[in-house]
Amino acid sequence: MSRADFSLRTAILQALETRRGETISGAQLAKETGVTRAAIWKAISQLRAEGAAIDAATNRGYSLRAESGLLNAQGITALLDEAARALFSVKTEPCVTSTNTLLKAAAQAGALQGTVLCAGEQTQGRGRMGRDFYSPPDSGVYLSVILRPAMRAQDALFITTAAAVAVCRAIERLGGSPGDARIKWVNDVFVGRKKVCGILTEAALDFESGGLEYAVLGIGTNLLAPAASFPDDLRKIAGGIFTGDIANLRNRFAAAVLNELAVLISRADYNAPAYLAEYRARSFLLGTQVDVLSAAGERAALAVDIDAGARLVVRYPDGTEEALSSGEVRVRPAAEAKIE
Ligand code: BTN
């Protein structure tokens, strides 16, 4: 698509998304965009081919149906609150390798705080610990944000934990599992017994200041169970949040996460995070027997707290305690009943 065609497509989407359900005449769109009605028709055909549900009525005009689910930046931006709109600049792609990989390169090249890339599919989605993150089309939303917070490297845990709270709030805002969006320290969001979202924060250090040069916060959410189900190795672990046809779900969810993130980030209270009380309350590990996984092997422990630094405090059978700031814990099978 040429640059001019892309700009026209963007302008038309913007007009339709901000007036979803309303009919806008071809003449009006032509006037707003400065092109002919024939050019409008061509762009509308292109948008329909991409999956936008646009009705066209002779002599009346075009309208984007309420249920249209095309993931697009204008659709997300139209749903942002003022604070989020001031902070985030959103771009979408139907399919990318990995939104984190692409935004890391962009951050390295100087892209601004608040740059957001949101994709409908990833072919090389990445999770923590070098794992892949399954990112099929149509059922999930995979987004990354560039942040440039004034914080010490060791405080980067606050980014991941704030994001987990933002995702839980977004799930509940959209009516998914009220009161049941819970967190497994540090980066997993669960609904019921299934992981529905994973978060990966990747940071680059500024060696002179000892602070962060930038962080790329990546959030991958399974909104629905994929049409072809999850692959065998994930079926028992992963789940979708919502069921059935929900209008405009991906744009609404991405916007809800960004709206909640803007609230948490703009308070700039990474050093005294009020949201940690909510993180604790949503954390299903506390009081649970876990295995602490590290390069040295596995060690049984009791998860006792999330401390003021967002670290997971565990108590070993010999009574010693450790505050974990990285790594992973696994719920011991006998303790799994507590997740329910
Ligand atoms: C995990 O569960 O270990 C973390 C998964 C993080 C996945 C998200 S999807 C958007 C962003 N792009 C990636 O490649 N990974 C993150």
Side-chain angles (χ1 to χ4, degrees):
M1 199 186 303
S2 73
R3 188 178 282 238
D5 285 348
F6 187 75
S7 312
L8 179 59
R9 169 196 178 276
T10 303
I12 291 176
L13 257 182
Q14 163 111 18
L16 294 173
E17 283 285 7
T18 48
R19 284 167 272 178
R20 250 184 198 249
E22 287 175 36
T23 302
I24 312 174
S25 71
Q28 178 67 25
L29 283 175
K31 193 170 150 207
E32 284 178 21
T33 55
V35 299
T36 63
R37 289 171 66 173
I40 297 287
W41 170 246
K42 194 175 148 219
I44 293 277
S45 306
Q46 165 65 32
L47 283 168
R48 281 174 157 172
E50 288 178 41
I54 300 173
D55 288 327
T58 320
N59 296 330
R60 290 193 55 232
Y62 306 102
S63 75
L64 184 64
R65 272 189 239 144
E67 71 269 21
S68 180
L70 176 71
L71 181 70
N72 73 93
Q74 291 67 38
I76 296 172
T77 306
L79 299 172
L80 293 183
D81 299 338
E82 212 177 307
R85 205 170 291 188
L87 193 58
F88 299 120
S89 161
V90 182
K91 192 175 170 228
T92 54
E93 290 288 350
C95 179
V96 297
T97 50
S98 153
T99 54
N100 260 39
T101 304
L102 294 174
L103 280 201
K104 268 166 70 181
Q108 205 77 52
L112 298 179
Q113 144 132 322
T115 303
V116 175
L117 178 60
C118 187
E121 179 182 6
Q122 295 183 120
T123 53
Q124 293 166 37
R126 295 185 294 106
R128 287 178 82 231
M129 314 283 173
R131 288 190 285 252
D132 293 339
F133 186 77
Y134 181 61
S135 314
D138 303 323
S139 53
V141 82
Y142 316 100
L143 71 85
S144 298
V145 187
I146 295 177
L147 299 171
R148 295 187 182 274
M151 70 164 51
R152 297 171 308 165
Q154 62 264 42
D155 292 336
L157 261 188
F158 290 129
I159 298 176
T160 307
T161 48
V165 170
V167 169
C168 290
R169 291 181 183 177
I171 291 171
E172 292 175 355
R173 234 168 232 280
L174 266 61
S177 303
D180 192 30
R182 296 203 278 162
I183 299 168
K184 174 175 175 285
W185 184 90
V186 59
N187 68 321
D188 291 339
V189 175
F190 276 63
V191 166
R193 300 190 58 153
K194 297 288 180 71
K195 172 171 167 173
V196 297
C197 168
I199 298 166
L200 173 67
T201 306
E202 299 182 285
L205 294 184
D206 177 341
F207 287 105
E208 269 180 29
S209 67
L212 290 188
E213 187 194 333
Y214 66 81
V216 172
L217 163 66
I219 303 173
T221 312
N222 312 318
L223 298 172
L224 307 166
S229 180
F230 286 99
D232 289 347
D233 56 330
L234 292 181
R235 203 161 296 146
K236 276 196 172 152
I237 310 163
I241 301 166
F242 304 95
T243 47
D245 280 346
I246 302 177
N248 191 21
L249 181 58
R250 293 182 303 171
N251 292 326
R252 285 171 60 214
F253 187 79
V257 169
L258 294 174
N259 282 334
E260 295 298 340
L261 260 185
V263 171
L264 293 166
I265 288 172
S266 66
R267 278 192 201 137
D269 58 1
Y270 286 112
N271 292 321
Y275 69 84
L276 272 184
E278 181 173 344
Y279 186 94
R280 269 185 214 104
R282 291 185 183 273
S283 176
F284 66 71
L285 283 187
L286 299 184
T288 298
Q289 294 292 338
V290 296
D291 286 318
V292 178
L293 313 179
S294 72
E298 299 179 9
R299 206 171 160 198
L302 178 69
V304 290
D305 196 11
I306 310 282
D307 73 10
R311 293 173 297 239
L312 179 69
V313 181
V314 295
R315 185 180 304 137
Y316 297 110
D318 65 5
T320 55
E321 291 193 353
E322 186 181 13
L324 306 172
S325 54
S326 62
E328 199 170 49
V329 298
R330 185 177 53 214
V331 178
R332 303 204 102 200
E336 261 178 16
K338 292 205 172 184
I339 302 175
E340 287 172 313

